[in-house]
């Protein structure tokens, strides 16, 4: 029987879970779906493996012994953008919000279908690698280079997560138009289902990075009862 040859084109996924059964099942499904899988059972091991071989995506359990998943996510995000799907054993909304606040791109609540998780992985990776980046975008002191995945405000580089970058790029491409949270989830995340608080949290985080006064947003405006609108008309480009 021929041994499967790993190639650099196979996306690398790091699975971090202290439950060996869950980790084995998830890793098995991802391997069969064509991914190169690394496994870690705790936070320090996960950070060491991510430093040695930077993953294309991390599946990260929230409830890890010692260093929890939130701290692992913070430290990984501190090293640079990497998509993260958080696993949580509880359906508590606070847990989900905390995961999104530290930069997770999605979450899955245990017990979950491994096949659904694979679909989530595929979706997040697909959206994090646009196949045909558009030209430069800019308005209201903001400038973006989608191909280089870099954004600046008044010449200063912004530290955006992958999803924050995609959300800002979408707003810049559609100034003045109002989008519901369902619209944004479909267009930016590529999902026709999911918890809409994901959008709410990312809009709040993005405002904190692009608005002069996040408490009184002028760029990303809330249209009550409808959704959000980007308005750069009041500021100079």
């Amino acid at each position: 029987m021929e041994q499967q040859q790993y190639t650099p084109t196979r996306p690398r996924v790091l699975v971090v879970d202290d439950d060996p059964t869950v980790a084995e099942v998830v890793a098995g499904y991802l391997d069969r779906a064509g991914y190169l899988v690394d496994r870690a059972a705790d936070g320090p091991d996960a950070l060491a493996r991510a430093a040695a071989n930077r993953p294309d995506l991390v599946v990260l359990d929230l409830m890890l012994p010692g260093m929890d998943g939130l701290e692992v996510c913070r430290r990984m995000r501190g090293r640079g953008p990497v998509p993260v799907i958080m696993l949580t054993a509880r359906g508590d909304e606070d847990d989900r919000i905390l995961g999104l606040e530290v930069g997770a791109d999605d979450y899955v609540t245990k017990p979950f279908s491994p096949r659904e998780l694979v679909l989530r992985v595929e979706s997040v990776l697909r959206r994090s690698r646009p196949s045909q980046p558009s030209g430069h975008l800019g308005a209201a002191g903001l400038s973006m280079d989608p191909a280089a995945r870099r954004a600046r405000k008044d010449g200063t580089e912004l530290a955006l997560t992958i999803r924050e970058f995609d959300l800002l790029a979408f707003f810049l491409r559609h100034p003045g138009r109002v989008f519901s949270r369902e619209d944004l989830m479909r267009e930016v995340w590529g999902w026709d289902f999911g918890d809409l608080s994901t959008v709410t949290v990312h809009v709040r985080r993005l405002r904190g990075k692009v608005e002069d006064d996040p408490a009184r947003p002028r760029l990303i405006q809330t249209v009550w009862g409808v959704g959000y609108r980007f308005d750069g008309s009041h500021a100079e480009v």
Side-chain angles (χ1 to χ4, degrees), residues 27-79:
Y29 270 81
L30 289 169
D31 180 71
R32 288 191 291 275
Y35 296 98
L36 178 58
V37 183
D38 288 337
R39 288 169 53 179
D42 56 41
D45 188 23
L47 293 173
R49 288 179 181 274
N53 291 290
R54 187 160 184 81
D56 296 292
L57 182 142
V58 180
V59 176
L60 178 61
D61 186 24
L62 176 66
M63 301 300 291
L64 293 172
M67 185 190 300
D68 66 18
L70 294 175
E71 182 60 25
V72 175
C73 188
R74 287 190 190 97
R75 296 193 185 191
M76 285 189 177
R77 295 290 313 137
R79 296 176 178 176

Side-chain angles (χ1 to χ4, degrees), residues 65-176:
M67 185 190 300
D68 66 18
L70 294 175
E71 182 60 25
V72 175
C73 188
R74 287 190 190 97
R75 296 193 185 191
M76 285 189 177
R77 295 290 313 137
R79 296 176 178 176
V82 59
V84 174
I85 296 178
M86 195 78 78
L87 302 180
T88 172
R90 300 194 298 266
D92 189 350
E93 183 177 3
D94 290 343
D95 289 339
R96 300 197 298 269
I97 297 299
L98 282 172
L100 296 172
E101 287 282 8
V102 298
D105 295 271
D106 193 7
Y107 66 88
V108 176
T109 303
K110 295 179 180 180
F112 58 87
S113 162
R115 296 177 71 177
E116 178 189 349
L117 178 59
V118 171
L119 291 176
R120 295 290 187 104
V121 168
E122 292 172 350
S123 174
V124 171
L125 282 175
R126 184 170 62 248
R127 300 299 294 188
S128 68
R129 295 175 175 174
S131 56
Q132 295 181 330
S134 63
H136 285 64
L137 302 168
L142 297 169
S143 61
M144 302 187 76
D145 181 351
R149 305 287 296 184
R150 302 183 76 173
R152 292 180 172 83
K153 178 183 178 182
D154 299 327
T156 300
E157 188 148 359
L158 296 172
L160 301 179
T161 67
I162 289 169
R163 204 58 64 215
E164 289 165 0
F165 186 98
D166 292 342
L167 184 59
L168 181 57
F170 183 79
F171 279 134
L172 285 172
R173 290 189 182 104
H174 303 92

